[in-house]
Amino acid sequence: MNQRRAATEHKTNERVGRPGKNGDGPERHETIYHAISDAIIEHRLKPGARLREDALSEVFGVSRTGIRKILQRLALEQLVTLTPRRGASVTRPTADEAKDVFDARQMIECGLMPEVARRMTPEAAQELRDMARREREALKGGEQSAAIKLSAAFHGRLARLSGNATLADFVERLCSRSSLILAVYGNAGHLGCESHDHEDLLGFLEQGNGERAEAFMSRHLKAIEASLSIHEEEEETPDLYRIFSA
């Protein structure tokens, strides 16, 4: 390994919080999982970018078995696509897939709103209001990745309040998928909806007005989908050392 590569690896070690080349473990895997998912959502790893196990193993200093488990987890969340004999790559959402995701969100999330309105408590409303505030602050500060994650977390928390764990799990997976779509095809500094949308939705839910909350959620999701600018990008092999040492 040349001097430049060694120096870059040292910076990478510091960034992902690892001391050296040995020792896989749950905490390390969690750190690496977040590093890769953040890079995808922040568009430092672009759609179609190949994620070679050997290169990631060298960059992060963990075994290929550990990297494989992390990539499999990302694949379950549809941030990564695993292809036989070709390996892993960042998922490249198509226009049809984006439409399917938002159609599914329309059917499920909107349908959950009456029950969420019935179960809404002052404590839950305050928690959601705090999440909406942090989302607005992240957008205002140019932290697009953080804003996208907070928006997804807001929708996931709403679904949990319905009391239907199965549907809430599905909504969270759809929101994870939406996060990639927004990161890739959305507009910087904007999530495709008004910054006060989540606050307005909370107002209807706190009033116990499930019908208006359902209609508002539908408009909210349609606005996000309408804001997307979907275009194809060339496949690339990224410089993993540069991405994870920045």
Side-chain angles (χ1 to χ4, degrees):
M1 180 181 294
N2 60 33
Q3 238 179 349
R4 181 179 176 185
R5 176 60 62 86
T8 302
E9 183 179 358
H10 176 70
K11 290 180 182 177
T12 303
N13 290 350
E14 292 180 339
R15 185 172 187 267
V16 299
R18 65 180 175 83
K21 293 287 289 183
N22 298 313
D24 288 14
E27 288 186 7
R28 291 269 300 284
H29 287 187
E30 189 70 14
T31 300
I32 296 166
Y33 158 79
H34 284 294
I36 297 174
S37 62
D38 283 351
I40 292 171
I41 291 173
E42 291 167 6
H43 214 189
R44 288 182 283 122
L45 283 170
K46 295 183 180 180
R50 293 190 63 191
L51 301 173
R52 289 172 44 210
E53 288 181 7
D54 57 344
L56 288 168
S57 174
E58 185 177 354
V59 165
F60 289 110
V62 297
S63 68
R64 290 185 63 172
T65 299
I67 290 296
R68 192 172 300 122
K69 289 178 180 177
I70 293 165
L71 292 175
Q72 287 169 347
R73 179 179 173 186
L74 290 164
L76 285 174
E77 297 180 5
Q78 296 187 302
L79 293 178
V80 164
T81 298
L82 301 177
T83 307
R85 296 186 298 280
R86 188 176 181 279
S89 61
V90 178
T91 298
R92 188 198 302 272
T94 66
D96 286 343
E97 287 167 343
K99 184 178 185 307
D100 286 349
V101 167
F102 279 96
D103 282 351
R105 290 187 65 179
Q106 282 278 348
M107 287 185 279
I108 298 171
E109 288 189 74
C110 295
L112 290 176
M113 288 304 99
E115 186 62 21
V116 173
R118 191 179 74 80
R119 291 169 171 260
M120 183 61 68
T121 65
E123 294 77 17
Q126 186 57 53
E127 177 189 359
L128 288 160
R129 190 162 278 110
D130 289 343
M131 294 172 73
R133 174 183 52 78
R134 293 199 302 273
E135 177 191 336
R136 289 196 307 274
E137 290 173 351
L139 270 179
K140 188 175 179 180
E143 300 174 18
Q144 186 83 355
S145 175
I148 289 172
K149 288 179 179 179
L150 284 165
S151 180
F154 179 94
H155 283 262
R157 181 69 181 109
L158 275 182
R160 288 281 161 203
L161 288 175
S162 72
N164 189 316
T166 299
L167 287 178
D169 286 343
F170 191 35
V171 167
E172 288 176 348
R173 289 197 295 273
L174 288 170
C175 286
S176 178
R177 183 72 165 155
S178 297
S179 294
L180 174 61
I181 293 168
L182 274 169
V184 174
Y185 300 122
N187 298 307
H190 188 50
L191 296 185
C193 53
E194 297 298 327
S195 62
H196 54 75
D197 269 9
H198 286 167
E199 284 279 358
D200 292 347
L201 175 62
L202 275 175
F204 296 130
L205 293 169
E206 284 182 292
Q207 295 164 16
N209 196 331
E211 186 176 338
R212 291 198 68 180
E214 181 175 353
F216 190 91
M217 176 66 86
S218 179
R219 293 194 299 273
H220 175 65
L221 292 173
K222 285 176 181 175
I224 297 172
E225 183 180 3
S227 74
L228 300 175
S229 300
I230 298 179
H231 58 276
E232 296 296 325
E233 297 192 28
E234 293 297 319
E235 184 177 302
E236 65 169 31
T237 299
D239 183 339
L240 297 174
Y241 275 96
R242 179 184 59 78
I243 289 170
F244 292 111
S245 64

